[in-house]
């Protein structure tokens, strides 16, 4: 399968749509990490965050973020969840770093930066006729870890965008060549839950992955993690186009992009999620056979773009920097 065309997307949308796909604008770009380093202002590395304005440095698991938030950057206006990843930087041949901007998926209108979020029932074209249990208030999880040095999780991938609709091939490491329309970072989360714990010390062991990457059906959940939850995924479009001048790339031919925790291979890519849908909105959507008529409330692009939070970490993230934010060398 090559480029995923708009016509194909519309054709699928016309059949039994088995996923929620929506855009959320950027809420904030800051050194905060409420799951891994709760309370740290600043945290070790920079993140880009989307979703509700209940996001802050602590995010106490006993409080429901949907109760605290008053606006969201997501087009579904009942979704006050937060979703975040590391931030991509370009490291020029002279050793200085420049933050790479994000741009929205072409299908989703003029949102400011942000990401595309998916909640799949089973796969792109079928709901699988299985019960999908929505996450509960206080639920959180992460996928991937910065320390990882190999690309073994099939759900963590990159696509070198030839145009905005390119979806294949996917690679485990950053693309090695300039990408004409930027780089898409993909994070698929596990969809099997232990049914008991809203979180776990490593933010991952309460979940189990039976997926093999992509938007295909995951295998059956094991007895240890028997509850099927929505298959959550993020797509982030990094606009690397301003950095495609190869004379600025490393002289040894390696690629110049690094994650904000100084990862030039890309294997340490990670995503974080705090559930925050209001009431039973997500459960109702997952229970509906056709997600086209899911009854979820939406808001305009302008409303999504207007939701932001205050910067509690005030530091330069946008000049040509001699070190990455929070890194000493
Ligand atoms: C985060 O928000 C909660 C609830 O409003 C509040 O109790 C907490 O102090 C906030 N944390 C920070 C670091 O602002
Ligand atoms: C490093 O290279 C970038 C890209 O050409 C340039 O904008 C920046 O000013 C340079 N910085 C230094 C310190 O030479």
């Amino acid at each position: 399968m090559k480029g995923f065309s708009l016509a194909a997307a519309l054709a699928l949308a016309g059949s039994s749509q088995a996923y929620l796909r929506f855009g959320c604008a950027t809420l904030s770009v800051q050194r905060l990490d409420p799951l891994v380093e709760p309370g740290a202002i600043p945290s070790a590395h920079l993140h880009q965050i989307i979703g509700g304005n209940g996001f802050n440095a602590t995010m106490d698991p006993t409080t429901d973020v949907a109760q605290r938030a008053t606006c969201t950057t997501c087009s579904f206006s009942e979704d006050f969840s937060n979703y975040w990843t590391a931030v991509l930087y370009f490291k020029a041949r002279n050793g200085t770093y420049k933050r790479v901007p994000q741009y929205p998926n072409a299908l989703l209108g003029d949102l400011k930066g942000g990401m595309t979020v998916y909640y799949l029932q089973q796969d792109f074209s079928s709901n699988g006729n299985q019960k999908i249990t929505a996450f509960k208030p206080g639920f959180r999880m992460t996928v991937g870890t910065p320390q990882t040095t190999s690309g073994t999780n099939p759900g963590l991938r990159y696509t070198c965008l030839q145009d905005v609709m390119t979806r294949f091939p996917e690679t485990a490491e950053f693309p090695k060549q300039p990408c004409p329309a930027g780089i898409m970072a993909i994070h698929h989360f596990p969809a099997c839950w232990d049914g008991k714990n809203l979180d776990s010390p490593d933010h991952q062991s309460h979940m189990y992955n039976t997926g093999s990457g992509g938007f295909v059906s995951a295998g059956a959940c094991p007895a240890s993690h028997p509850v099927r939850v929505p298959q959550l995924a993020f797509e982030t479009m990094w606009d690397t186009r301003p950095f495609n001048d190869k004379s600025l790339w490393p002289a040894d031919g390696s690629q110049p992009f690094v994650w904000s925790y100084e990862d030039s291979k890309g294997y340490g890519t990670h995503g974080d999620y705090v559930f925050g849908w209001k009431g039973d909105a997500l459960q109702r959507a997952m229970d509906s056979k056709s997600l086209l008529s899911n009854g979820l409330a939406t808001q305009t692009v302008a409303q999504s773009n207007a939701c932001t939070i205050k910067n509690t970490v005030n530091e330069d993230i946008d000049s040509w920097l001699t070190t990455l934010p929070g890194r000493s060398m």
Side-chain angles (χ1 to χ4, degrees):
M1 192 152 137
K2 251 185 102 224
F4 190 76
S5 75
L6 186 59
L10 292 174
L12 268 181
S15 62
S16 70
Q17 197 184 24
Y19 54 90
L20 294 176
R21 171 176 57 196
F22 56 98
C24 306
T26 296
L27 177 76
S28 187
V29 182
Q30 285 196 71
R31 255 199 306 141
L32 295 177
D33 197 352
L35 294 198
V36 177
E37 298 172 79
I41 305 174
S43 64
H45 62 259
L46 194 65
H47 287 126
Q48 56 92 14
I49 305 127
I50 61 170
N53 67 346
F55 180 89
N56 75 11
T58 46
M59 311 237 5
D60 179 353
T62 64
T63 67
D64 178 3
V65 74
Q67 304 285 329
R68 295 208 277 124
T70 55
C71 70
T72 175
T73 71
C74 295
S75 15
F76 285 123
S77 54
E78 295 163 288
D79 183 14
F80 299 103
S81 306
N82 288 113
Y83 313 83
W84 65 94
T85 75
V87 169
L88 198 64
Y89 274 86
F90 170 71
K91 186 176 186 181
R93 189 175 290 195
N94 68 14
T96 62
Y97 301 88
K98 182 81 176 157
R99 182 161 76 95
V100 177
Q102 288 156 250
Y103 74 101
N105 186 319
L107 295 171
L108 303 174
D110 211 7
L111 289 167
K112 182 186 66 185
M115 299 196 265
T116 309
V117 175
Y118 294 79
Y119 288 83
L120 266 75
Q121 290 176 319
Q122 167 158 289
D123 58 35
F124 236 56
S125 51
S126 162
N127 61 34
N129 288 317
Q130 58 183 336
K131 172 72 181 175
I132 312 284
T133 303
F135 308 106
K136 307 269 181 283
F139 179 89
R140 58 268 315 273
M141 63 177 162
T142 66
V143 65
T145 45
Q147 295 77 26
T148 308
T149 53
S150 67
T152 49
N153 182 333
L156 303 177
R157 290 292 182 259
Y158 302 93
T159 296
C160 183
L161 299 173
Q162 304 307 310
D163 59 57
V164 293
M165 296 311 296
T166 309
R167 292 297 177 268
F168 298 91
E170 294 183 345
T171 56
E173 60 286 310
F174 286 130
K176 293 178 172 40
Q177 294 302 316
C179 300
I183 295 173
M184 187 162 83
I186 303 150
H187 296 90
H188 292 275
F189 285 74
C192 299
W193 178 42
D194 70 11
K196 298 185 192 89
N197 297 295
L198 298 175
D199 196 3
S200 47
D202 63 0
H203 313 293
Q204 300 190 352
S205 15
H206 58 316
M207 300 298 293
Y208 191 93
N209 182 42
T210 59
S212 53
F215 293 103
V216 296
S217 176
C221 289
S224 60
H225 296 74
V227 181
R228 173 71 67 186
V229 292
Q231 275 206 278
L232 178 67
F234 312 160
E235 288 174 350
T236 319
M237 319 272 278
W238 295 97
D239 189 1
T240 56
R241 287 173 298 181
F243 309 106
N244 281 350
D245 173 359
K246 277 211 104 167
S247 73
L248 299 179
W249 284 39
D252 69 2
S254 59
Q255 70 83 36
F257 297 101
V258 292
W259 283 123
S260 46
Y261 51 93
E262 195 93 53
D263 171 3
S264 62
K265 299 283 190 253
Y267 298 136
T269 185
H270 54 282
D272 293 56
Y273 174 62
V274 173
F275 169 79
W277 284 78
K278 207 169 169 181
D280 66 348
L282 182 60
Q283 187 62 63
R284 276 188 281 115
M286 287 299 123
D287 287 344
S288 75
K289 289 274 180 266
S290 163
L291 290 177
L292 279 183
S293 52
N294 54 49
L296 294 174
T298 58
Q299 65 181 1
T300 64
V301 165
Q303 286 169 315
S304 294
N305 285 344
C307 184
T308 55
I309 57 169
K310 274 208 199 71
N311 244 320
T312 47
V313 180
N314 290 301
E315 64 183 346
D316 184 6
I317 58 171
D318 280 327
S319 303
W320 286 93
L321 303 170
T322 53
T323 56
L324 288 167
R327 309 285 302 189
S328 55
M329 49 178 290

